Amino acid sequence: MNFRILGPLRAGVRQGPVDLGDGRARLVLATLLLEAGRVVPVERLVEAVWDEDPPASARPQVAIAVSSLRRAFRDAGCTHRVIETAQPGYRVPLGADTVDAVTAERRIAAARAAVRAGRHHEAAERFGAALALWDGPVLAGLERALILAAALRWEELRLTVTEEAAEVELALGRHHELVGRLMGPVIEHPFRERLRVLLMLALVRSGRQGEALEVYRDARRILSRELGLEPGRELRELYQAILSDDLSIHRRPFTAPEAGPPSTSRGCTGAVPRSRSRRWRGLGGRGRSPL
């Protein structure tokens, strides 16, 4: 079995993709996959499908959706029980590489461990492999409150990892390649100042000081117009360093991420504004799952 939630919801078995049916079944499966390996109560599945206005028949309809999903996997040739009944609800059992999001968690943890050990080439590869699993807006098209909240948390993780990966790429001297990879995220998340700092560093180390200064000026215009704020301290200091031709910006120290597991939908509490459109593939666009 293979499930993808870091993009449109998809599922497959060895024989090929699985037809997941109508929107209700897809919402149920998406909610179960966001808590893969854990029991999701029926009440939570009801809330995921109907938000705050469920019909009187909501619980039976959830059971029907689960039955249809099980049948779809059987029809696709899957001999395993994809969705288990476990009081007070249902569970998708978690196996190796079952869910792309879980695979991403493991790759991110391994990348961060490599950074802390000073193995930057390995870290770059592992970060790239993790980011390559994102394939558009998380659970695109499933516009329900619970799912949108989870999607926000996964987007926050994606942006954080993009920044961490960029730090590694800069430490390895890959600033020329990094410029193109950061432009999309900066455009799509104009208030994310850390992304701008990294893009400015990549530009100035590539001999493109004028463009680096324009990235700052663009941030200042947007922040002033939209929020009535000035750029933060890190952006301001980097801007001044470029203006004064401070050579230290070519050898700024690398800051390794703190130890600990990645902040995913199970633990990340931050939410950031986001668009459901996605035009960039982070720093890991070299690989793609077959599903």
Side-chain angles (χ1 to χ4, degrees):
M1 296 183 297
N2 195 307
F3 298 101
R4 296 207 65 183
I5 66 172
L6 300 179
L9 176 63
R10 283 168 284 178
V13 295
R14 186 173 300 173
Q15 293 86 342
V18 177
D19 181 0
L20 298 177
D22 64 15
R24 188 174 305 147
R26 298 175 73 85
L27 288 165
V28 168
L29 180 59
T31 307
L32 291 171
L33 291 174
L34 287 168
E35 297 288 343
R38 300 182 180 185
V39 177
V40 180
V42 173
E43 288 76 9
R44 185 169 177 82
L45 294 172
V46 169
E47 182 183 355
V49 175
W50 288 280
D51 287 337
E52 298 179 356
D53 189 27
S57 61
R59 292 176 67 91
Q61 288 191 54
V62 166
I64 292 171
V66 169
S67 295
S68 71
L69 288 166
R70 288 171 172 166
R71 183 170 57 254
F73 276 88
R74 287 196 304 270
D75 292 345
C78 181
T79 59
H80 303 290
R81 176 56 65 93
V82 177
I83 301 175
E84 299 175 342
T85 300
Q87 293 301 321
Y90 301 95
R91 172 179 56 211
V92 172
L94 191 60
D97 297 322
T98 302
V99 184
D100 60 352
V102 177
T103 302
E105 286 182 312
R106 290 200 298 267
R107 292 178 181 179
I108 292 166
R112 289 172 171 172
V115 170
R116 292 190 292 273
R119 302 191 304 270
H120 291 161
H121 284 90
E122 177 188 340
E125 289 299 317
R126 291 186 181 275
F127 275 135
L131 288 166
L133 291 172
W134 269 267
D135 189 26
V138 173
L139 295 171
L142 301 181
E143 307 289 331
R144 293 293 188 277
L146 284 177
I147 291 174
L148 288 173
L152 283 170
R153 292 191 290 270
W154 279 105
E155 177 65 3
E156 174 64 22
L157 176 63
R158 182 188 195 184
L159 289 169
T160 299
V161 172
T162 296
E163 292 166 351
E164 292 176 24
E167 288 263 16
V168 173
E169 298 281 356
L170 285 171
L172 292 171
R174 298 174 180 173
H175 36 270
H176 292 286
E177 303 95 322
L178 192 57
V179 169
R181 297 177 191 168
L182 286 177
M183 284 184 173
V186 167
I187 291 171
E188 188 159 348
H189 299 274
F191 304 129
R192 190 93 175 186
E193 294 193 14
R194 184 62 184 153
L195 284 174
R196 287 185 181 272
V197 166
L198 294 164
L199 176 57
M200 288 172 67
L201 281 171
L203 284 166
V204 76
R205 291 182 186 182
S206 300
R208 299 162 65 176
Q209 288 87 345
E211 292 172 74
L213 294 172
E214 185 55 34
V215 170
Y216 174 85
R217 292 169 185 141
D218 182 61
R220 188 175 185 184
R221 285 192 295 268
I222 291 173
L223 288 168
S224 175
R225 182 179 67 244
E226 301 294 335
L227 303 177
L229 297 174
E230 286 292 311
R233 177 180 175 182
E234 189 176 20
L235 262 179
R236 296 197 310 270
E237 289 182 349
L238 179 56
Y239 176 69
Q240 291 299 327
I242 295 171
L243 285 177
S244 60
D245 200 21
D246 184 347
L247 295 180
S248 68
I249 60 179
H250 293 274
R251 53 181 184 275
R252 285 164 67 102
F254 175 75
T255 304
E258 296 293 327
S263 298
T264 67
S265 59
R266 300 171 188 176
C268 176
T269 57
V272 295
R274 74 191 287 268
S275 167
R276 293 289 283 179
S277 65
R278 184 66 57 239
R279 298 184 297 273
W280 57 281
R281 291 186 56 79
L283 303 182
R286 292 183 288 274
R288 182 185 291 264
S289 167
L291 285 179

